[in-house]
Amino acid sequence: MGLTQKREAMRIKRKKRIRQKVQGTPQRPRLTVFRSARHIYAQIIDDTRGETLAAASTMEKQVRDQGKYENKVAAADEIGKLVAQRASGKGITSVVFDRNGYMYHGRVRAVSEAARKNGLDF
């Protein structure tokens, strides 16, 4: 098993441990973040119905049309703003944050702080 596979396996292990405690409900859905090497994705999920209520990613045309960001953290900040705006449009004000096994650092932190600044409470 190579280093990358070990790192991913450890992240999955942390993710399972976190998900035992963090559940999204209709009153307080779950804001989850996925981070790939190039892109960042954020979703607001109601786990009781298994439904995605709002989502944003750097893959979207709306985000790509804004031009290049100076770095990935700046792009993650934009995704946090966008997901918070979409959530408030659907009447969601309070969420639980799921860091998905990643460290609360860098891009993951940027998404959560931008979402907080733009009206999400967690």
Side-chain angles (χ1 to χ4, degrees):
M1 188 183 283
L3 180 64
T4 309
Q5 290 172 325
K6 286 180 185 175
R7 191 174 289 152
E8 183 65 14
M10 292 303 293
R11 185 186 77 80
I12 298 299
K13 202 172 180 180
R14 284 190 304 271
K15 177 182 177 175
K16 286 180 182 177
R17 204 168 41 234
I18 291 167
R19 290 283 285 121
Q20 288 176 351
K21 299 173 186 173
V22 176
Q23 286 291 319
T25 63
Q27 296 80 24
R28 197 163 173 174
R30 175 172 56 102
L31 170 61
T32 185
V33 175
F34 177 75
R35 176 179 69 108
S36 71
R38 187 178 289 182
H39 297 286
I40 188 119
Y41 308 82
Q43 289 183 322
I44 297 180
I45 303 167
D46 176 6
D47 288 318
T48 56
R49 290 185 292 174
E51 190 174 286
T52 299
L53 306 172
S57 79
T58 53
M59 295 283 292
E60 295 176 8
K61 186 167 174 39
Q62 176 184 355
V63 176
R64 284 184 291 142
D65 287 344
Q66 291 181 0
K68 285 271 193 189
Y69 293 97
E70 68 180 65
N71 54 32
K72 293 182 213 176
V73 175
D77 188 57
E78 183 63 32
I79 295 306
K81 288 179 195 173
L82 196 56
V83 77
Q85 289 169 357
R86 290 178 182 174
S88 64
K90 295 193 177 193
I92 301 167
T93 57
S94 167
V95 295
V96 291
F97 187 67
D98 177 11
R99 59 190 175 90
N100 216 1
Y102 300 110
M103 285 177 48
Y104 185 77
H105 176 76
R107 292 188 280 164
V108 175
R109 182 178 178 183
V111 169
S112 72
E113 288 180 353
R116 274 194 191 108
K117 285 180 188 173
N118 287 282
L120 283 182
D121 179 41
F122 55 97

